[in-house]
Amino acid sequence: MTAERPAQPLSGLAQLRDEPVDHRFKGLPPDAEGLTVGELAAERRSLFTGGFTTPVLALSAESVEHNLVLLETYAERHGLAFAPHGKTSMSPQLFERQLAHGAWGITAAVPHQVRVYRAFGVARIFLANEVVDAAALRWIAAELDRDPGFRFLCYVDSVRGVELMDEALSAAGATRPVEVVVELAAGEGARTGARTEADCAAVADAVAAARTLRLTGVAGYEGEVPDADDEAVRDWLRRLTALAADFDRAGRFDGAEEIVISAGGSAWFDAVADVFAGIPDLTLPVLKLLRSGAYISHDDGHYREITPFNRVPEEGALQPAFRLWAQVVSRPSAGQAFVNAGKRDAAYDLDLPEAQVVRDARTGAVRPAAGIAVEKLSDQHGWLTTSPDAVLEVGDWVGMGLSHPCTSFDKWQLIPLVEADGTVTDLVRTYF
């Protein structure tokens, strides 16, 4: 099942184009000070000759579009709805494009992210966590009351959590019940979630007794299955779908308009698609909701290795969209060089950046980064090792691929969207 495309673009995006370009944003041209973001984008400057300073993170316009289309067609082919995890990019501009490419809504991890999404008009939000913060719940209740078109769902995984939610929402005078899904843990020792089916049933009983909550479905995150392999992930997914069927037979979804069954990170969505295809007919329509988020930019490290498209190449392939450009600022020996990008600029929590290309400072020609590797990062420097035949000198630009999109996006507030020839066509704002 896939959702209809939104009739209108997200609200609030126009104000992003009116934001002034200034010292707050790394890598932007100093001579653009005084322009707005929209005016700078309209100039279509070259990333390399248009005054951008290093280090600068770039997103490939072509790869982002390719990835958006690929997941849209994948979800349609497999009868899935999808709510991509917005914590990957925290970019309303990219949310709008995901929604335009068929996304049902956007997934959040914490209430602050919900507030960002709502500031830009996201109408459907799935919060993949239990919310027990009374202040956050007051705000959610008020937002639901303010906007009848806003749909919000979140996890519950404990009886105590349900009690806290009901107390806070009751005290807030909530008039619309908050839709909740029971989170089934991915296994003993995994992250959050009720550990057993009996625990899930106890949580569902608590929801039924809470005036301010409505049970809508079940969910979880298969990426936390201990010692995950294809068989273990599928076994857990079958437990999740069986839980939904058991709850349905017991009448636990009374009052709901549909049954939401949700899973799917960026490593096992092929297994999710296969198992969800076997969900039996239930008494209500079923929303099979995938939540993969990293696909929009993909990467040159962790997700390149674990993407399900490696297992199903006939379904297509994601393209890495990030490239971090840094400049060689020191070449102290034949075997070593330093660039001006480090931990403050590049994700390094999963893998170090990967040197891919060199743009020659003398000619502007781009060549493969043969014999060049990133050895380690300091705060503001990248340590490169170079082979005896590596061609590299001070002033050259080194283009590096990154691993882990989530920690790449959150180091940059304004990211140039760049076409293959180097033309900057837009600037992507993030809110971390």
Side-chain angles (χ1 to χ4, degrees):
M1 175 180 180
T2 53
E4 69 277 6
R5 293 175 184 270
Q8 299 293 332
L10 292 185
S11 61
L13 291 184
Q15 72 191 51
L16 298 183
R17 302 189 66 78
D18 293 333
E19 191 162 18
V21 173
D22 56 29
H23 59 276
R24 293 171 296 161
F25 305 117
K26 298 189 291 185
L28 300 191
D31 68 355
E33 182 109 13
L35 297 178
T36 66
V37 168
E39 289 168 342
L40 176 58
E43 291 186 352
R44 296 179 61 86
R45 297 192 187 193
S46 167
L47 184 74
F48 306 111
T49 61
F52 289 85
T53 63
T54 57
V56 60
L57 181 65
L59 269 174
S60 162
E62 293 87 356
S63 294
V64 167
E65 179 64 18
H66 169 87
N67 295 341
L68 287 164
V69 171
L70 182 62
L71 193 70
E72 177 184 25
T73 56
Y74 182 89
E76 289 176 347
R77 187 180 305 125
H78 292 279
L80 300 169
F82 65 105
H85 213 317
K87 59 97 175 173
T88 298
S89 71
M90 287 304 295
S91 170
Q93 293 153 285
L94 297 182
F95 299 163
E96 182 181 58
R97 295 184 64 179
Q98 289 171 312
L99 292 166
H101 280 279
W104 171 91
I106 306 293
T107 295
V110 293
H112 164 72
Q113 293 171 359
V114 178
R115 291 183 62 199
V116 173
Y117 301 0
R118 288 299 293 161
F120 290 90
V122 177
R124 295 174 180 154
I125 299 173
F126 185 102
L127 201 165
N129 240 328
E130 186 170 74
V131 183
V132 294
D133 184 310
L137 289 163
R138 284 195 299 271
W139 179 85
I140 289 167
E143 191 70 3
L144 286 167
D145 289 347
R146 184 188 68 80
D147 182 359
F150 173 36
R151 188 172 181 194
F152 173 82
L153 299 86
C154 71
Y155 283 178
V156 286
D157 81 345
S158 65
V159 172
R160 177 57 177 156
V162 170
E163 292 172 349
L164 289 169
M165 291 182 73
D166 190 41
E167 289 172 6
L169 291 167
S170 296
T175 60
R176 288 178 60 191
V178 170
E179 294 184 69
V180 295
V181 296
V182 173
E183 182 191 7
L184 173 66
E188 197 62 41
R191 200 164 61 188
T192 54
R195 291 297 193 253
T196 68
E197 282 74 2
D199 292 338
C200 289
V203 175
D205 287 339
V207 172
R211 181 190 64 80
T212 61
L213 303 177
R214 176 181 295 148
L215 186 62
T216 300
V218 298
Y221 175 47
E222 76 289 341
E224 280 291 310
V225 170
D227 303 315
D229 59 21
D230 190 64
E231 181 179 358
V233 167
R234 289 171 186 267
D235 284 346
W236 177 82
L237 287 165
R238 284 188 283 267
R239 282 182 62 201
L240 182 70
T241 58
L243 181 66
D246 289 345
F247 277 11
D248 187 43
R249 281 191 294 270
R252 295 188 182 277
F253 298 124
D254 286 351
E257 296 181 358
E258 64 184 357
I259 297 170
V260 178
I261 305 176
S262 180
S266 296
W268 295 103
F269 55 74
D270 58 332
V272 173
D274 288 348
V275 173
F276 279 16
I279 294 173
D281 289 338
L282 302 180
T283 61
L284 293 168
V286 176
L287 184 74
K288 304 172 183 179
L289 192 62
L290 187 70
R291 304 192 308 274
S292 309
Y295 79 95
I296 193 165
S297 64
H298 198 45
D299 74 3
D300 282 295
H302 180 71
Y303 287 102
R304 178 180 62 191
E305 300 301 320
I306 69 170
T307 176
F309 288 115
N310 292 339
R311 296 186 290 272
V312 287
E314 67 277 8
E315 299 259 24
L318 293 167
Q319 296 177 0
F322 274 128
R323 180 160 282 171
L324 177 64
W325 289 96
Q327 200 162 20
V328 178
V329 293
S330 180
R331 188 79 159 98
S333 71
Q336 192 175 43
F338 292 87
V339 292
N340 60 347
K343 293 178 180 178
R344 302 302 177 96
D345 313 297
Y348 61 94
D349 53 325
L350 295 179
D351 302 289
L352 288 172
E354 175 185 270
Q356 295 177 329
V357 295
V358 175
R359 186 176 190 278
D360 192 286
R362 298 178 186 273
T363 67
V366 177
R367 59 180 181 269
I372 302 168
V374 180
E375 177 185 16
K376 67 178 181 178
L377 298 177
S378 300
D379 273 0
Q380 307 287 182
H381 290 89
W383 298 54
L384 307 185
T385 55
T386 56
S387 65
D389 56 348
V391 180
L392 191 69
E393 66 177 348
V394 170
D396 288 347
W397 286 35
V398 179
M400 295 173 282
L402 300 178
S403 180
H404 199 184
C406 304
T407 46
S408 299
F409 275 109
D410 75 2
K411 292 179 179 293
W412 294 82
Q413 292 181 291
L414 206 55
I415 304 170
L417 189 69
V418 183
E419 293 182 341
D421 66 357
T423 301
V424 175
T425 61
D426 204 355
L427 296 138
V428 174
R429 186 74 155 93
T430 66
Y431 289 86
F432 285 94

